[in-house]
């Protein structure tokens, strides 16, 4: 039996390493987003500073391991074999849950997940013990630390509201003082802001850093006999006052003497502080349970008592975590930060939700997000009505955004927000976490940092009329995901405990194998999706400011749509012929994706027209027409795919062999046409478009012939109304598809001729100059 538990400890060690990887991938969003979103500092510098913060925080986190040992349940009520089941269930659930959130790119709280997993596992184990002993449900309070659990849930809910509100208020006041032209303000203004921000962040570093170390209980003469931790908590105002004066002077000297950008300094220090807090505070979420299991095993192995008779009172005592474990954990976390692609995927969610201006909106608006936006707009109008006009004018002036010239360099991307907002995000998150720490209130660093970022975005008017409903819907989705985390963590951990209690050795092996398979599956799925995103021919926005440039840029998009459209059409015909519902379902996803990409291009028309030179306004008409024809093509493909899927999914009669043969003939003709079109656009051989257009009559004639044949079939032999409807729908949409394609080719053909003609004339004139300067008249 001892071998089983030893194998469990080894398995938990591997699970701890895996949990560190998935945990860092999720929590990197907490401390990287402000620096990454503002683009104030290079990516490499941000990562180095964050890595240092993680390394320091990991080493200082020893004192925070108690939550896994006795924070949620009363360990003395459980035996060793029961505790091992609880810990194994928690770790399996935690890895799978966090990996799921990472895969879908949603930030969640590792604190909440571990707490509710421990709670769910302990509750089910307690209920099993009560049932076995013939007790009542009320006995569960003897097993569960209900006070702590209630505190954590209350703290989480409170932190969401407080973080959002305080973040919004501080950002509004900061913007009112500094405006968007903060770099032009008097030097003393930046120094005062630097003093406030750096005081908040450094106090936070001391509170979070020292609390977890053995030095927290040390006393020095300077502290008047009090421990360092007590001194920091009791002398808040004097410490903050002295720090503010000190950092304000340092900030002023940095601005005036060293010519440094104080906002960049704040962002660097703040990133270090939050990374330190993450490692110091959240490390328990990843390795606390395995270490508690190892310490339990160590105590049991030395006792010589049977596993079902050895009480776990040992977990109620304070046992320091070996430093070697903390260093190893810190190393894994730093490596993950640099290597994890999922970490960067999760950070994109928060950055895009707080982005200034337009972004590719990931979330769909819903009735609740629309209602909240409408309420916020009504509140804003009421505030404008109440405040004097002069005040409103002054406020509007401070919130007026500077005009930013878009760089022609395609590799250059504008920051999601400016350095003031990044600094406020870090400062407010630091202050709130410091206050909660000093008041011994449990909270989630993910919830605080995310909600602060959303609050500052709202106050900074980053959520305009064009994007508000999408951003609010995104925030609601993330918050909903947090509650989903708690519920699923509780249920899943409890279920695993129950399964293990049925047949302990067998279920441990089965569940571990299942967890490994699911992790591998998620990894392969994510890697495959990432490669597809990189490799796939996504449509590109036109960025040229001349008609010649737009012609050449749009050629890539047309070749792309033609290639993918050809595949979609062929797969629809193939799926119909074979009655392959999976093929048709996959085809629907592909055409929907193509349609969304074209919609994104249409959404960018405003910025495209704004970017045009005065001499190239004609390019806008050409570009708009091209997008219109591309949209017509995808709409026809969408309808063909939809009716084909619906017919097979509803188990209607299969198409007749003659109909399938005709559709394949038509598919072959269209495939040939599409391939010629793609080749012409890929090679920029636009002169060949005329040859393709010359085949227009033949292709149309083939479609008309098939329609006529179906009419005759319907009158004589066709017995299925559904088949007739499907066949006519495909033929008519094919006709529309060809019509849109030919219109696009004609538009391109004429636009290319017009754009080339002046250049040709100019070239001929330069080779054969007319005497007497009469060349201009001759060109009439």
């Amino acid at each position: 039996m001892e071998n089983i538990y030893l194998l469990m400890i080894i398995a938990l060690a591997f699970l701890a390493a895996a949990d560190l990887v998935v945990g860092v991938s999720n929590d990197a969003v907490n401390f990287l987003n402000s620096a990454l979103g503002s683009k104030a500092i290079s990516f490499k510098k941000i990562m180095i500073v964050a890595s240092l913060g993680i390394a320091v925080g990991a080493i200082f986190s020893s004192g925070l391991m108690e939550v896994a040992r006795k924070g949620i349940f009363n360990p003395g009520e459980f035996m060793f074999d029961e505790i091992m089941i609880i810990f194994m269930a928690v770790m399996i659930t935690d890895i799978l849950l966090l990996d799921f959130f990472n895969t879908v790119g949603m930030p969640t709280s590792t604190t909440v997940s571990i707490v509710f997993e421990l709670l769910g596992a302990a509750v089910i184990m307690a209920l099993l013990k009560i049932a076995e002993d013939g007790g009542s449900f009320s006995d569960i309070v003897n097993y569960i630390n209900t006070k702590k659990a209630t505190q954590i849930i209350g703290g989480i809910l409170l932190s969401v509201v407080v973080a959002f509100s305080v973040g919004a208020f501080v950002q509004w006041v900061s913007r009112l003082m500094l405006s968007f032209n903060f770099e032009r303000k008097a030097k003393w203004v930046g120094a005062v802001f630097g003093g406030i921000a750096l005081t908040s962040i450094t106090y936070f570093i001391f509170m979070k850093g020292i609390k977890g170390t053995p030095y927290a209980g040390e006393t020095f003469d300077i502290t008047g006999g009090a421990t360092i931790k007590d001194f920091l908590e009791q002398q808040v105002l004097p410490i903050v006052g002295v720090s503010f004066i000190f950092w304000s002077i340092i900030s002023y000297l940095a601005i005036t003497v060293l010519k440094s950008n104080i906002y960049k300094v704040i962002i660097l220090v703040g990133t270090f502080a939050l990374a330190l807090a993450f490692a110091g505070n959240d490390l328990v979420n990843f390795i606390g349970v395995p270490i508690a299991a190892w310490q339990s095993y160590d105590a049991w192995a030395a006792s010589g008592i049977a596993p079902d008779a050895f009480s776990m009172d040992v977990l109620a005592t304070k046992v320091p975590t070996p430093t070697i474990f903390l260093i190893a954990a810190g190393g894994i976390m730093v490596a993950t930060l640099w290597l994890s692609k999922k970490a960067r995927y999760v950070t994109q969610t928060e950055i895009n939700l707080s982005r200034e201006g337009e972004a590719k909106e990931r979330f769909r608006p819903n009735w609740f997000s629309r209602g909240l936006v409408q309420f916020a707009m009504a509140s804003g109008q009421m505030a404008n009505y109440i405040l004097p006009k002069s005040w409103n004018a002054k406020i509007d002036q401070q919130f007026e955004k500077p005009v930013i010239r878009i760089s022609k360099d395609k590799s250059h991307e504008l920051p999601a927000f400016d350095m003031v907002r990044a600094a406020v995000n870090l400062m407010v998150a630091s202050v709130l976490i410091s206050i909660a720490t000093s008041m011994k209130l449990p909270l989630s660093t993910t919830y605080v940092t995310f909600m602060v970022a959303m609050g500052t975005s709202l106050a900074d008017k980053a959520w305009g009329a064009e994007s508000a409903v999408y951003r609010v819907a995104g925030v609601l989705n993330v918050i909903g995901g947090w509650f989903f985390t708690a519920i699923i963590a509780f249920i899943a951990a409890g279920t695993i405990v129950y399964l293990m209690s049925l047949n302990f050795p067998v279920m441990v092996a089965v569940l571990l194998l299942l967890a490994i398979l699911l992790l591998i599956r998620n990894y392969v799925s994510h890697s495959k999706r990432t490669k597809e995103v990189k490799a796939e021919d996504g449509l590109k926005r036109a960025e040229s400011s001349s008609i010649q440039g737009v012609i050449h840029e749009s050629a890539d998009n047309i070749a792309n749509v033609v290639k993918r459209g050809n595949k979609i059409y062929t797969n629809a015909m193939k799926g119909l012929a074979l009655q392959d519902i999976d093929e048709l379902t996959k085809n629907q996803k592909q055409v929907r994706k193509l349609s969304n990409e074209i919609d994104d291009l249409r959404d960018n028309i405003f910025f495209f027209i704004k970017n045009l030179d005065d001499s190239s306004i004609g390019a806008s008409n050409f570009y708009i027409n091209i997008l219109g024809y591309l949209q017509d093509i995808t709409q026809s493909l969408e309808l063909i795919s939809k009716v084909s899927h619906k017919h097979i999914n509803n188990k209607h009669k299969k198409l007749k062999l003659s109909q399938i043969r005709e559709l394949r003939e038509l598919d072959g003709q269209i495939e040939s046409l599409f391939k010629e079109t793609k080749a012409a656009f890929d090679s920029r051989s636009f002169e060949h478009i005329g040859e393709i257009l010359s085949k227009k009559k033949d292709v149309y004639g083939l479609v008309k012939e098939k329609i006529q044949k179906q009419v005759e079939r319907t009158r004589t032999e066709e017995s299925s109304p559904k088949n007739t409807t499907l066949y006519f729908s495909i033929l008519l949409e094919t006709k529309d598809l060809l019509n849109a394609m030919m219109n696009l080719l004609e538009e391109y053909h004429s636009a290319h001729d017009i754009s080339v003609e002046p250049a040709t004339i100019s070239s001929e004139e330069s080779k054969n100059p007319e005497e007497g300067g009469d060349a201009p008249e001759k060109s009439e």
Side-chain angles (χ1 to χ4, degrees):
M1 196 68 178
E2 185 175 346
N3 290 335
I4 292 175
Y5 293 116
L6 182 59
L7 289 172
M8 284 180 73
I9 295 298
I10 295 168
L12 283 168
F14 282 105
L15 289 175
D19 207 25
L20 279 167
V21 171
V22 295
V24 173
S25 298
N26 193 281
D27 277 7
V29 66
N30 298 341
F31 52 86
L32 290 180
N33 277 358
S34 293
L36 291 176
S38 66
K39 293 187 178 291
I41 307 145
S42 70
F43 179 77
K44 191 174 181 181
K45 284 181 183 174
I46 294 167
M47 295 295 280
I48 290 170
V49 169
S51 300
L52 288 171
I54 286 175
V56 174
I59 294 167
F60 286 168
S61 64
S62 176
L64 298 174
M65 297 292 164
E66 304 307 306
V67 68
R69 298 157 56 85
K70 58 181 180 180
I72 303 302
F73 55 81
N74 300 319
E77 298 295 328
F78 296 97
M79 298 300 120
F80 172 69
D81 60 338
E82 295 161 347
I83 281 289
M84 291 301 289
I85 290 175
I86 288 172
F87 287 158
M88 183 60 79
V90 166
M91 288 305 293
I92 291 172
T93 307
D94 199 54
I95 289 172
L96 295 178
L97 190 61
L98 292 180
D99 191 64
F100 166 75
F101 274 92
N102 293 344
T103 303
V104 298
M106 294 278 277
T108 193
S109 170
T110 53
T111 304
V112 169
S113 63
I114 201 76
V115 163
F116 278 88
E117 283 152 10
L118 283 166
L119 187 61
V123 164
I124 298 302
M125 182 56 76
L127 289 174
L128 290 171
K129 283 174 68 71
I130 290 167
E132 189 180 339
D133 297 341
S136 65
F137 182 77
S138 59
D139 293 338
I140 202 166
V141 295
N142 299 324
Y143 296 88
I144 306 301
N145 192 340
T146 51
K147 184 181 177 183
K148 186 73 172 180
T150 307
Q151 255 191 343
I152 289 170
I153 296 165
I156 288 162
L157 294 173
L158 189 64
S159 67
V160 169
V161 178
V162 171
F164 184 85
S165 306
V166 175
F169 176 74
V170 174
Q171 178 61 35
W172 189 82
V173 172
S174 300
R175 189 63 73 192
L176 200 60
M177 288 171 55
L178 298 168
S179 80
F180 280 92
N181 297 309
F182 56 92
E183 289 176 327
R184 297 180 188 172
K185 291 287 180 181
K187 291 180 175 59
W188 67 266
V189 176
V192 169
F193 184 82
I196 295 169
L198 290 172
T199 298
S200 307
I201 293 167
T202 50
Y203 183 77
F204 166 74
I205 290 173
F206 283 120
M207 280 299 300
K208 293 300 291 182
I210 291 176
K211 185 189 172 188
T213 69
Y215 306 109
E218 295 288 330
T219 59
F220 294 94
D221 292 338
I222 195 171
T223 63
T227 63
I228 295 177
K229 181 174 171 290
D230 291 339
F231 180 76
L232 285 171
E233 291 177 354
Q234 292 165 9
Q235 304 297 325
V236 175
L237 289 178
I239 293 171
V240 168
V242 172
S243 295
F244 171 69
I245 295 168
F246 173 77
W247 286 116
S248 295
I249 294 169
I250 293 294
S251 299
Y252 188 77
L253 291 173
I255 294 167
T256 55
V257 179
L258 301 176
K259 306 297 181 186
S260 299
N261 187 325
I262 194 62
Y263 300 97
K264 289 186 179 181
V265 175
I266 294 167
I267 292 167
L268 270 176
V269 177
T271 300
F272 174 84
L274 282 182
L276 180 145
F278 153 70
N281 191 64
D282 290 3
L283 189 60
V284 60
N285 303 337
F286 315 128
I287 67 169
V289 167
I291 285 175
W294 170 69
Q295 290 169 342
S296 301
Y297 174 80
D298 207 34
W300 168 74
S303 70
I305 303 172
D308 58 354
F310 183 69
S311 174
M312 293 312 301
D313 287 312
V314 67
L315 290 181
T317 60
K318 189 166 185 176
V319 181
T321 304
T323 307
I324 187 67
F325 289 170
L326 301 176
I327 293 171
I332 293 172
M333 292 163 88
V334 170
T336 303
L337 185 65
W338 283 89
L339 301 175
S340 174
K341 291 177 182 176
K342 287 187 179 181
R344 295 173 197 183
Y345 183 41
V346 177
T347 58
Q348 288 172 9
T349 300
E350 185 179 312
I351 289 175
N352 283 335
L353 285 175
S354 55
R355 183 177 292 277
E356 188 74 47
E358 297 302 308
K360 187 174 180 180
E361 304 297 349
R362 179 179 163 189
F363 299 96
R364 293 179 178 275
N366 50 55
W367 64 270
F368 194 30
S369 69
R370 293 188 189 99
L372 287 175
V373 170
Q374 194 170 354
F375 173 75
M377 290 174 71
S379 302
Q381 289 171 355
M382 188 176 293
N384 288 338
Y385 181 75
I386 294 168
L387 291 174
K389 287 185 179 179
S390 59
W391 287 25
N392 284 328
K394 181 65 178 173
I395 291 168
D396 290 342
Q397 185 182 348
Q398 293 298 94
F399 279 83
E400 189 176 332
K401 296 177 176 68
V403 177
I404 300 172
R405 297 288 175 192
I406 299 172
S407 171
K408 300 286 183 184
D409 179 12
K410 295 178 188 178
S411 64
H412 177 72
E413 186 184 352
L414 291 173
F417 40 81
D418 68 2
M419 287 185 278
V420 169
R421 179 131 63 96
V424 170
N425 284 345
L426 294 164
M427 175 175 64
V428 173
S430 299
V431 169
L432 291 176
I433 296 170
S434 297
I435 291 170
T437 302
S438 64
M439 295 174 68
K440 298 181 176 62
L441 292 175
L443 52 71
S444 163
T445 51
T446 300
Y447 291 5
V448 171
T449 51
F450 180 84
M451 292 311 295
V452 165
M454 296 305 103
T456 58
S457 303
L458 176 67
D460 223 19
K461 300 185 178 180
W463 299 348
E466 305 288 333
S467 60
V469 288
Y470 303 99
R471 306 287 174 85
V472 174
V475 174
L476 293 173
N477 269 278
V478 173
I479 293 173
W482 295 344
F483 286 101
F484 172 80
T485 302
I487 295 165
I488 295 301
F490 185 95
I491 294 170
T495 304
I496 291 175
V497 164
Y498 176 73
L499 292 173
M500 283 188 181
S501 67
L502 297 177
N503 191 324
F504 178 56
V506 172
M507 290 311 300
V508 167
V510 169
L511 289 167
L512 278 173
L513 181 63
L514 181 63
I516 292 166
L517 291 174
L518 285 172
L519 283 173
I520 292 170
R521 178 182 168 274
N522 283 351
Y523 175 78
V524 170
S525 171
H526 186 265
S527 299
K528 186 179 176 184
R529 189 165 65 244
T530 304
K531 284 176 185 174
E532 283 173 358
V533 168
K534 282 185 180 177
E536 75 184 3
D537 305 318
L539 302 185
K540 299 175 182 68
R541 295 177 176 181
E543 296 183 13
S544 291
S545 54
S546 66
I547 190 163
Q548 189 67 30
V550 173
I551 285 172
H552 280 274
E553 282 188 351
S554 297
D556 289 329
N557 283 343
I558 292 168
N560 187 325
V561 171
V562 168
K563 172 189 164 187
R564 290 160 72 180
N566 186 17
K567 187 178 178 183
I568 288 165
Y569 190 88
T570 299
N571 287 344
M573 300 305 107
K574 182 181 171 185
L576 263 179
L578 300 174
Q579 291 190 299
D580 189 342
I581 190 66
D582 292 334
E583 181 73 43
L584 292 171
T585 302
K586 203 183 298 178
N587 212 40
Q588 273 198 308
K589 288 179 183 176
Q590 290 299 318
V591 74
R592 205 175 297 125
K593 187 174 183 298
L594 180 60
S595 180
N596 288 338
E597 286 181 33
I598 290 172
D599 285 344
D600 285 342
L601 294 182
R602 289 178 68 87
D603 290 342
N604 193 53
I605 285 175
F606 170 83
F607 302 102
F608 167 72
I609 294 173
K610 283 277 188 184
N611 197 37
L612 284 175
D613 294 337
D614 292 338
S615 59
S616 305
I617 301 301
S620 60
N621 288 330
F622 169 75
Y623 187 59
I624 290 165
N625 288 340
I626 290 297
L627 288 184
Y629 294 135
L630 290 178
Q631 191 169 46
D632 290 343
I633 288 170
T634 53
Q635 282 175 349
S636 294
L637 289 169
E638 209 164 2
L639 195 64
I640 289 168
S641 187
K642 180 183 173 184
V643 295
S644 303
H645 181 274
K646 181 182 174 184
H647 186 87
I648 301 301
N649 199 36
N650 289 339
K651 306 293 185 277
H652 294 317
K653 273 187 181 180
K654 188 178 180 179
L655 289 176
K656 290 188 174 181
L657 196 60
S658 57
Q659 291 173 319
I660 291 171
R661 219 173 10 241
E662 287 172 11
L663 286 178
R664 279 184 170 161
E665 182 189 351
L666 190 59
D667 178 37
Q669 194 78 14
I670 288 172
E671 186 171 3
S672 173
L673 178 74
F674 276 31
K675 278 183 177 177
E676 284 184 55
T677 304
K678 182 181 181 299
F681 282 96
D682 275 339
S683 61
R684 303 295 193 270
S685 306
F686 300 125
E687 62 276 7
H688 293 159
I689 292 176
E691 296 173 20
I692 300 169
L693 285 168
S694 66
K695 300 175 182 178
K696 176 178 176 181
K697 193 173 180 182
D698 294 339
V699 182
Y700 278 169
L702 185 63
V703 177
K704 286 179 182 177
E705 179 192 322
K706 304 305 176 193
I707 291 173
Q708 186 58 40
K709 279 188 178 180
Q710 180 59 27
V711 169
E712 291 169 7
R713 257 196 305 265
T714 304
R715 291 177 61 82
T716 57
E717 58 187 81
E718 185 64 77
S719 60
S720 171
K722 298 293 183 187
N723 270 18
T724 303
T725 303
L726 171 68
Y727 198 69
F728 277 130
S729 295
I730 290 172
L731 291 176
L732 291 172
E733 282 306 319
T734 301
K735 188 177 177 184
D736 288 347
L737 170 68
L738 291 168
N739 195 39
M741 177 63 77
M742 293 302 171
N743 287 340
L744 184 147
L745 292 172
E746 284 170 359
E747 180 80 29
Y748 226 94
H749 193 238
S750 53
H752 177 254
D753 287 348
I754 291 168
S755 68
V756 170
E757 195 173 296
T760 307
I761 292 170
S762 174
S763 174
E764 287 172 359
E765 286 173 358
S766 65
K767 289 178 184 175
N768 304 297
E770 297 290 338
E771 292 179 12
D774 293 332
E777 274 90 340
K778 293 196 175 190
S779 66
E780 289 183 14

